[in-house]
Amino acid sequence: MENNNQNANSQSQEQKTPSTPRERRPNPHRQNNTQNRPQGENSNRPNPNRKPNPATPNKKPIPKQEVDGNVQDRPAPNGNKKPNPNQNRNRNNSNSNNQNRNANNTNQSKKPTHSNGKPGNKPNNNQNRNGGNNKNRGRRKNVTTVNDTMRKYLDINDKVKDATMNPWRNADLTLPGKIRFTPLGGLGEIGGNMAILETETTAIIIDVGMSFPDETMHGVDILVPDFTHLHALKKEKDVYVIITHGHEDHIGAMPYLFKELQFPIYGTPLALAMIENKFNEHGLSQYTKNFNFVTMRKQHQIGDMQIEWMHNTHSIIDACSLAIETPAGTIIHTADFKVDHTPVDNYTMDLRRFAHYGEKGVLCLFSDSTNSHNPGATKSEKVVGKTFDTLFDLAKGRILMSTFSSNVHRIVQAMERAVLHGRKVCVIGRSMERNIETNRALGFVDIEDKHFIEVHEVPKYADHEVLIVTTGSQGETMAALNRMATDEHRHIKLKPSDTVIISASAIPGNEGSVSSLLNKLMKAGCTVRYKEFPDIHASGHAAQEEQKLILRLIQPKFFLPVHGEYNHLTKHAKTAVECGVDKRNILLMGDGDQIEICTKYIKKVKTVKSGKTYIDNQNNMTIENDVVLDRQKLAEDGIINVVAQISQSNQKVVGKPVITTHGIVPDKDDKKFAKEIEVMLETMLLNMKPEALKDHKDIENDIRAVVRKHVSRTKKRYPLIIPTIFIV
């Protein structure tokens, strides 16, 4: 008890006044531990015979500490006792902290110790928590030792992953060849797809499609690409036509091309069969001898290229992408596609072949950009069949279903529902009938003849027993559905009990005609099913996640987005950058741009002639550009006709000139306007030199200029002016 009191007093005196110097004792770390330790006794072990001090009943016992029996314990500060481990527990005020720090520094200067305060002992947890002088504070524990072997395999795996993300380096980058890619349609627009891929000796034309006119192209039914560049190309190289699938925007211009130029054609049986139907309509059946049927997953030698057709999923049967081996490297052209994992015919996209070519190394990827703004993935075609189930259950009378005539999978789904509901199928529309019969002949449509009826047989059946499959989903004026809506169809008259299903989305530019068709159908009293059912239509083009999948499978060096308007191409390019394609290796093209590609670079080299040819589909004849321009001029600004006789002797108008206008002034102002033109004509003749009357063309041009200036100043219009002058 006296020792404990003395120890406490000595500690309090150390905090208040400087302590007297202690006798220096030898450092146990610098001496032989065995010499200073009593034999058979370990001074650090607790004494089991020691009794608790009755004077301090509430004092907490000193925690047991494990010690190293080979190291002598450090002497206590007062020379008699070990330091109290609970001494520094309560250090809440700054003065106590400073005093304890000073005391520790004093002890360290006198005697070097281990960082844990005692030689050979484990760290005192109380001291670490209370701010003791611990050199291991903040040091990480259980750190993995990275040896040379581990670092070696880390480097190896980094290189493997880098090679995986850049497989184009697997290709032969020393190839000296160069290729050129020239789109003639399909860029900056939807539809009209056509492009040329050239080497030094060979040129392939990838698809020859048509597009639809806008509302300003009066009397024009379809547009086809300008073939001027092909005329020059044929004189220099071997030219071939490569068809990816049978949609109109990929084969619709084939008859018009073959009326000018004839080339060998390569494609799948369905695509070539649909082209054959077009050739027969245009009187070109002799050119079917140019057909070459291809086998998927097999390379075909075409000129100095090897081309493989790879099956993909789209809104038509037998759609394909292309893998093209060229002297410069491998080119992948997706054509139109979406990644449908549950297609109607169960033939999914051949992603293994895409991965195969991606692993070998692809120089450049051309990919469909039509739905590049759509996030996620495009819905499967099968969702439309489920919607048909609902619509067929709701319909009480006849059902009229309209979609694209080439979307056979959708047509088949509607026919199958009709068979299940006991309805007969009537197909109306020339292109629809032709495509259905072609697909039945090739075995793609397996519906028995007994389920089909002719259009004149429809009245023989009750309304709830009839399904009519027809054309006209885009509001085409001459299509069957539009003629039904205007009560001009010879056989089908719409009823209020009819249900009309329009299973298609409006092609850009056709929104107005589709809206007009809907209005006509609703005025007829029909129930129209269109966009209120979200799954009534499924796109055939890939959305962003599907585009990313192809980009990651191929991981090309260069990337060229195709098929779509400029905003679609731009968005697809951004997606490609997100998927690891260097933005310096991406180009945005327009129709007529010629791009040169080799293993070292990609660049635009020149621009070739491109454009559109206008077609009147009623007689399959070409409409010249100036005719369309005149029609636009007439529609927008009107026309003025000036007929006059001019006397050569006195330079005056003989009689009264005949002036007629259309689209300039209302009928009640015709006479006033004609008088204005007459006065201007007389004034111009008075100021004209006599020798000017010798050339009719000069006089007509002068009259045209004077009238145009007057009308533009007074009416703010620029009409078509036709002067007819007689010199007498």
Side-chain angles (χ1 to χ4, degrees), residues 622-649:
T622 299
I623 306 174
E624 297 299 328
N625 291 358
D626 56 348
V627 174
V628 177
L629 292 176
D630 287 345
R631 291 174 180 175
Q632 292 175 348
K633 196 75 173 174
L634 289 170
E636 295 173 3
D637 296 304
I639 184 174
I640 300 175
N641 288 304
V642 179
V643 181
Q645 290 182 334
I646 300 176
S647 174
Q648 191 171 10
S649 59

Side-chain angles (χ1 to χ4, degrees), residues 209-237:
M210 51 146 284
S211 57
F212 291 104
D214 59 36
E215 63 276 3
T216 66
M217 300 175 185
H218 307 282
V220 178
D221 295 314
I222 62 173
L223 305 175
V224 301
D226 190 318
F227 304 130
T228 302
H229 180 62
L230 294 179
H231 285 271
L233 199 61
K234 184 178 181 180
K235 300 175 183 178
E236 303 172 358
K237 302 177 180 181

Side-chain angles (χ1 to χ4, degrees), residues 175-235:
L175 293 175
K178 296 179 181 179
I179 58 175
R180 291 193 175 187
F181 182 80
T182 310
L184 296 180
L187 274 79
E189 62 176 338
I190 300 296
N193 299 290
M194 180 178 179
I196 303 170
L197 187 67
E198 312 173 42
T199 64
E200 293 295 328
T201 61
T202 304
I204 61 172
I205 304 170
I206 302 175
D207 294 329
V208 187
M210 51 146 284
S211 57
F212 291 104
D214 59 36
E215 63 276 3
T216 66
M217 300 175 185
H218 307 282
V220 178
D221 295 314
I222 62 173
L223 305 175
V224 301
D226 190 318
F227 304 130
T228 302
H229 180 62
L230 294 179
H231 285 271
L233 199 61
K234 184 178 181 180
K235 300 175 183 178

Side-chain angles (χ1 to χ4, degrees), residues 519-535:
N519 292 333
K520 295 173 186 176
L521 293 171
M522 291 181 180
K523 285 182 180 179
C526 300
T527 300
V528 180
R529 306 296 190 185
Y530 187 38
K531 289 187 176 180
E532 68 271 22
F533 288 85
D535 292 337

Side-chain angles (χ1 to χ4, degrees), residues 297-547:
R297 278 198 162 210
K298 176 183 177 182
Q299 288 189 327
H300 298 76
Q301 188 71 44
I302 301 176
D304 60 355
M305 304 184 202
Q306 288 186 325
I307 305 178
E308 177 182 336
W309 277 253
M310 303 182 295
H311 181 261
N312 70 30
T313 44
H314 187 39
S315 53
I316 189 172
I317 297 170
D318 261 5
C320 292
S321 302
L322 302 174
I324 309 170
E325 300 278 3
T326 74
T330 302
I331 305 296
I332 299 293
H333 194 301
T334 67
D336 290 351
F337 81 99
K338 71 175 181 180
V339 182
D340 191 344
H341 298 294
T342 57
V344 174
D345 59 3
N346 291 324
Y347 291 115
T348 58
M349 190 169 181
D350 196 354
L351 296 175
R352 290 184 291 274
R353 293 305 287 173
F354 283 83
H356 164 74
Y357 280 102
E359 190 67 23
K360 289 175 60 178
V362 172
L363 180 65
C364 187
L365 170 66
F366 304 87
S367 188
D368 177 18
S369 305
T370 306
N371 278 354
S372 57
H373 286 287
N374 295 4
T378 302
K379 292 182 179 180
S380 170
E381 183 65 30
K382 277 192 174 180
V383 303
V384 180
K386 296 179 181 178
T387 303
F388 283 166
D389 289 332
T390 302
L391 297 181
F392 273 70
D393 289 338
L394 294 175
K396 304 303 179 184
R398 294 183 302 184
I399 298 177
L400 294 89
M401 196 279 290
S402 180
T403 187
F404 295 106
S405 62
S406 58
N407 196 341
V408 177
H409 280 157
R410 189 163 304 169
I411 298 170
V412 168
Q413 290 188 92
M415 291 179 176
E416 290 174 344
R417 269 69 183 178
V419 172
L420 290 175
H421 286 77
R423 293 177 180 263
K424 297 294 182 180
V425 179
C426 177
V427 181
I428 301 178
R430 185 178 59 180
S431 61
M432 185 73 74
E433 294 173 10
R434 185 178 61 237
N435 287 340
I436 294 299
E437 289 305 316
T438 299
N439 280 272
R440 291 186 69 195
L442 295 178
F444 294 116
V445 176
D446 187 17
I447 296 178
E448 298 180 14
D449 291 341
K450 66 180 181 180
H451 298 295
F452 291 91
I453 60 174
E454 298 294 332
V455 62
H456 61 83
E457 298 179 288
V458 171
K460 298 179 182 179
Y461 294 87
D463 288 351
H464 67 276
E465 296 177 340
V466 175
L467 166 67
I468 297 174
V469 179
T470 183
T471 57
S473 62
Q474 296 302 303
E476 302 97 318
T477 304
M478 299 305 297
L481 185 59
N482 191 75
R483 288 188 284 119
M484 296 175 195
T486 55
D487 200 22
E488 296 176 0
H489 198 275
R490 185 171 58 177
H491 297 285
I492 304 299
K493 306 297 180 183
L494 295 181
K495 303 177 181 179
S497 59
D498 291 342
T499 297
V500 180
I501 302 172
I502 299 180
S503 182
S505 61
I507 295 173
N510 290 356
E511 294 87 355
S513 58
V514 172
S515 178
S516 176
L517 173 65
L518 295 175
N519 292 333
K520 295 173 186 176
L521 293 171
M522 291 181 180
K523 285 182 180 179
C526 300
T527 300
V528 180
R529 306 296 190 185
Y530 187 38
K531 289 187 176 180
E532 68 271 22
F533 288 85
D535 292 337
I536 202 171
H537 168 70
S539 174
H541 298 272
Q544 290 177 6
E545 293 305 315
E546 297 153 279
Q547 292 173 347

